[in-house]
Amino acid sequence: DTSRNESSHQLPSFLPDGRHFLYLSVSTNPEVSGIYAGSLDDPPERQSKKRILASALGANFVPSEEGGSGWLLFLRGSTLVAQPFDPSGLNLRGDPLTVAEGVGSVYQTGLFTAATNGLVYRASAITRDVQLTWFDRRGKQAGTVGEPGQISYLRMSPDGSRVIYQKETADQNNSDIWLLDLKKDASTRFTFGPGASGRPVWSPDGSEIVFGLKKEKFWDLYRKPSNGAQQEELLLASNEHKEPLGLSRDGRFLLYATSKNESSADEDLWVLPLQGNRTPYPFLATKFDEREATFSPDGRWVAYISNE
């Protein structure tokens, strides 16, 4: 329902009567996202709009051993809780009780399942340091480079001499960008805050790096010389999150993704000209998500992922 800013309905599961089911509605409106009940006997326009539970993750119904009522299991953060649920009246009762701590999830799915006599779950992932490692074309490890760390979004420079990457800070709430010189096997910090920096991309000649920087509410687009000789320059600020994806081979256009929230829902692809008046324009803006786009080497095409 686009009027409710819904992007998907997910994770359906039947209730004991075999006619009703629970499902997760995902919306950019937090007042809409949550668990709802549907019925096989109702057409789409008559399905209930009553939210049973506010949640960004799916839920499981577990019947009691005596039948009738049961429990709705769902995650609050990484805490698995159970709340009495009446499947005939389709409503929650009483207060939620803690079942387990440190339960994992991925996207909208909690990593647990339950029956009347037991529970199986997977613990939440522990963030681990990773080591950058070379492999040859046959998959044989050929050595490591750099120090281990919480590294992501790494990009090789056009000449293959350096790697730029995002690295989480010690407090886990922010990130900075670092440069690794592959010949010297030495890393230097590239951004210094305030705010979180990340998702860097190289200019075609390697002289500049474009990246996202979140100083307040939204991720905005900045660029900075790769030698670090100057401060970063603001390229684009707006009331939405922006992620740089790549520059055209001639360096004239920056391809980037936009979204209304940091979970990257409702992503569209935009182009920012880096010459002239720098007025951005949409490349692909549909009701679907378009993401992870990249220019072809000749600059004539854009490859991207869509959930259409």
Side-chain angles (χ1 to χ4, degrees):
D1 185 347
T2 56
S3 70
R4 291 160 56 86
N5 295 321
E6 292 177 322
S7 60
S8 65
H9 294 159
Q10 301 186 19
L11 307 173
S13 60
F14 273 108
L15 292 172
D17 66 0
R19 305 302 299 173
H20 291 86
F21 56 92
L22 300 177
Y23 68 94
L24 171 69
S25 171
V26 180
S27 171
T28 55
N29 181 356
E31 300 301 318
V32 173
S33 287
I35 304 300
Y36 292 78
S39 171
L40 296 183
D41 300 317
D42 292 330
E45 65 273 10
R46 288 175 50 198
Q47 296 290 341
S48 173
K49 301 292 186 181
K50 177 186 175 183
R51 184 170 66 172
I52 295 172
L53 173 72
S55 179
L57 302 169
N60 284 9
F61 173 75
V62 181
S64 65
E65 292 183 343
E66 296 80 18
S69 63
W71 299 85
L72 196 65
L73 268 65
F74 54 93
L75 282 173
R76 286 183 171 173
S78 61
T79 300
L80 181 62
V81 299
Q83 187 167 352
F85 181 76
D86 176 14
S88 59
L90 301 176
N91 53 60
L92 290 165
R93 296 178 176 177
D95 297 319
L97 304 173
T98 297
V99 176
E101 299 281 0
V103 178
S105 63
V106 58
Y107 296 107
Q108 284 80 34
T109 303
L111 303 181
F112 66 90
T113 186
T116 57
N117 60 349
L119 166 73
V120 177
Y121 70 93
R122 180 172 177 175
S124 56
I126 300 172
T127 303
R128 296 180 174 89
D129 287 347
V130 297
Q131 174 67 63
L132 295 182
T133 305
W134 288 109
F135 288 84
D136 65 21
R137 292 182 179 271
R138 288 180 285 185
K140 183 179 179 181
Q141 184 173 330
T144 61
V145 64
E147 295 294 327
Q150 294 176 35
I151 295 168
S152 59
Y153 297 101
L154 57 156
R155 298 285 188 104
M156 188 86 71
S157 65
D159 64 2
S161 66
R162 294 177 291 173
V163 172
I164 194 161
Y165 56 86
Q166 177 179 323
K167 184 177 181 180
E168 305 305 314
T169 59
D171 63 7
Q172 302 297 308
N173 294 319
N174 278 311
S175 57
D176 281 304
I177 296 171
W178 289 68
L179 266 171
L180 171 63
D181 187 314
L182 294 173
K183 294 180 180 178
K184 299 178 181 178
D185 194 9
S187 298
T188 56
R189 188 172 170 181
F190 186 71
T191 60
F192 297 88
S197 303
R199 305 185 178 187
V201 295
W202 292 91
S203 65
D205 62 1
S207 65
E208 293 183 325
I209 292 166
V210 177
F211 58 96
L213 174 57
K214 183 184 178 185
K215 291 186 176 181
E216 295 181 357
K217 186 176 181 180
F218 297 103
W219 285 87
D220 293 318
L221 300 176
Y222 287 77
R223 68 177 172 186
K224 181 178 178 180
S226 60
N227 61 10
Q230 300 176 22
Q231 293 296 314
E232 62 265 12
E233 171 196 359
L234 175 65
L235 290 176
L236 180 64
S238 61
N239 293 332
E240 59 192 354
H241 297 289
K242 296 163 289 297
E243 176 188 351
L245 299 173
L247 288 97
S248 59
R249 190 174 184 179
D250 58 12
R252 295 171 55 202
F253 302 100
L254 170 66
L255 188 64
Y256 67 98
T258 64
S259 61
K260 297 299 183 183
N261 56 63
E262 288 192 77
S263 65
S264 300
D266 295 329
E267 276 196 290
D268 293 317
L269 299 179
W270 284 68
V271 172
L272 175 66
L274 297 178
Q275 299 176 3
N277 61 12
R278 296 189 191 174
T279 301
Y281 59 88
F283 181 76
L284 277 172
T286 73
K287 64 180 180 179
F288 304 105
D289 289 342
E290 296 88 21
R291 60 181 61 182
E292 298 185 35
T294 184
F295 283 109
S296 62
D298 63 6
R300 295 181 58 196
W301 298 87
V302 168
Y304 63 96
I305 292 173
S306 171
N307 65 356
E308 181 177 353

